[in-house]
Amino acid sequence: MKSIDLLTIGEPLMEFAEVQRDGERLYLPGYGGDVSNAAVAAARQGAKVAIFTALGGDFFGQDFLDLWQREGIDCSSVIRPKDGRTGAYFISYGADGHVFSYARAGSAASLITSEELPLAQIASARILHASGISQAISESCADAVFAAIIHAKSNGTVVSYDTNLRLKLWPLERARAIIHGASALSDILLPGLDDARQLTGLERPEEICAFYLGLGCGVVALTMGKNGTMVATRERVDVIAARPVEAVDATGAGDTFDGAFLAEWLAHRDPFRAAAYANAAAALSTLGRGAVAPIPERAAVERFLQSA
């Protein structure tokens, strides 16, 4: 019996976003980390969500537990070693958009091992979601995600994976090997176009989708920014148009897409409809600063869709 809609695995990060106030540069705290953002996005669309990670025994770790509890996210399997540390990142804004600086080395989440996986929770989820970042933060995490994926598949849990390439965390050749391996085991793949071009060496979206389908994925939803999302299955390939807005900050747009896509896909198993919904949710998430605060609730997404 599947009691959880979505279980995400990865690293949460405290966010500090730059603001200019009275001529001074200040950094306001918030929440980040790709799979945590996706979990919040899915929960705000009405999905029953859980998260597995490790947090430090610090105030930041407690902040995340408080956030997830407010959002109705099950964090019962979260590990919290007393001597652990919660990672953080800083967002600065310049002429070319936002710039990220990270303080995550040695975080509690990066020390997770396969032996600590919540196997019963993985088996009870309808979807398991992880990402390239989940595997990039350490070798033990890379192994743990593979073990989680294999356990999910053996228990009838759908596997979702966002390639989410971060070359500051690992070299491209290792990233390719690990991400391609995880992609080949995934049922739903959620790559971004720029990352996919680096990972595959291919340029055209159609070629990239065909490559990932060839690895064994059943659904590929390739996000292409203002050019929409190319959704590909073995039976159909189509581009779902983006929803134009006056964007303020796209920090959490990709993660919002992931969470909204998966929550909507669970309702009807139609990836094309799910992408249209997720495009709208992602667009709305760019109307405010930071990763989590602007993620819309389902009612806001539905109003936006009806008004278009």
Side-chain angles (χ1 to χ4, degrees):
M1 182 69 178
K2 300 292 187 182
S3 58
I4 300 168
D5 290 331
L6 176 67
L7 171 63
T8 68
I9 295 181
E11 181 183 33
L13 293 168
M14 281 301 295
E15 172 189 271
F16 294 90
E18 177 189 345
V19 296
Q20 296 289 335
R21 185 173 295 170
D22 298 327
E24 291 186 305
R25 177 186 293 182
L26 304 176
Y27 287 88
L28 298 182
Y31 306 97
D34 60 343
V35 298
S36 176
N37 298 341
V40 172
R44 290 185 184 178
Q45 309 321 305
K48 188 174 182 180
V49 181
I51 188 166
F52 170 69
T53 188
L55 296 169
D58 47 31
F59 288 113
F60 293 164
Q62 188 59 50
D63 284 345
F64 269 106
L65 292 176
D66 293 343
L67 166 70
W68 296 330
Q69 288 165 1
R70 288 196 302 271
E71 299 291 340
I73 295 171
D74 180 350
C75 48
S76 60
S77 65
V78 170
I79 302 166
R80 199 176 181 203
K82 291 182 180 179
D83 58 349
R85 183 173 58 80
T86 306
Y89 70 100
F90 298 81
I91 308 174
S92 301
Y93 298 91
D96 297 325
H98 49 257
V99 178
F100 297 94
S101 301
Y102 292 92
R104 74 196 311 174
S107 69
S110 70
L111 303 179
I112 286 173
T113 66
S114 300
E115 290 72 27
E116 295 171 305
L117 290 171
L119 299 180
Q121 198 174 51
I122 292 169
S124 68
R126 298 171 71 189
I127 298 176
L128 172 73
H129 177 68
S131 79
I133 296 175
S134 304
Q135 296 191 283
I137 55 178
S138 72
E139 290 186 10
S140 68
C141 285
D143 292 343
V145 170
F146 276 127
I149 289 172
I150 291 167
H151 187 69
K153 294 183 78 68
S154 67
N155 284 275
T157 296
V158 172
V159 175
S160 166
Y161 191 85
D162 185 330
T163 56
N164 229 347
L165 178 64
R166 295 291 184 272
L167 292 178
K168 289 183 178 180
L169 293 175
W170 53 358
L172 180 57
E173 289 307 315
R174 175 169 168 77
R176 278 179 176 154
I178 298 294
I179 291 174
H180 286 353
S183 298
L185 295 171
S186 300
D187 302 293
I188 297 173
L189 194 70
L190 304 168
L193 181 58
D194 290 342
D195 289 352
R197 282 172 169 160
Q198 293 185 79
L199 287 165
T200 66
L202 301 171
E203 185 68 21
R204 296 174 57 243
E206 296 86 353
E207 294 176 320
I208 292 168
C209 287
F211 172 85
Y212 285 125
L213 290 174
L215 289 182
C217 303
V219 173
V220 179
L222 178 67
T223 52
M224 304 183 295
K226 65 181 181 180
N227 294 319
T229 300
M230 178 171 286
V231 179
T233 67
R234 289 175 179 80
E235 296 77 29
R236 175 184 169 192
V237 178
D238 202 357
V239 174
I240 309 302
R243 297 282 175 167
V245 293
E246 294 295 326
V248 173
D249 180 10
T251 298
D255 305 331
T256 298
F257 178 93
D258 289 358
F261 180 95
L262 295 171
E264 186 68 9
W265 181 84
L266 281 170
H268 45 64
R269 304 294 177 112
D270 182 337
F272 301 92
R273 286 175 57 190
Y277 182 91
N279 279 353
L284 290 176
S285 76
T286 69
L287 298 180
R289 292 201 181 275
V292 167
I295 295 174
E297 304 277 353
R298 175 170 285 277
V301 179
E302 291 178 344
R303 285 195 301 270
F304 184 48
L305 286 168
Q306 291 169 2
S307 66

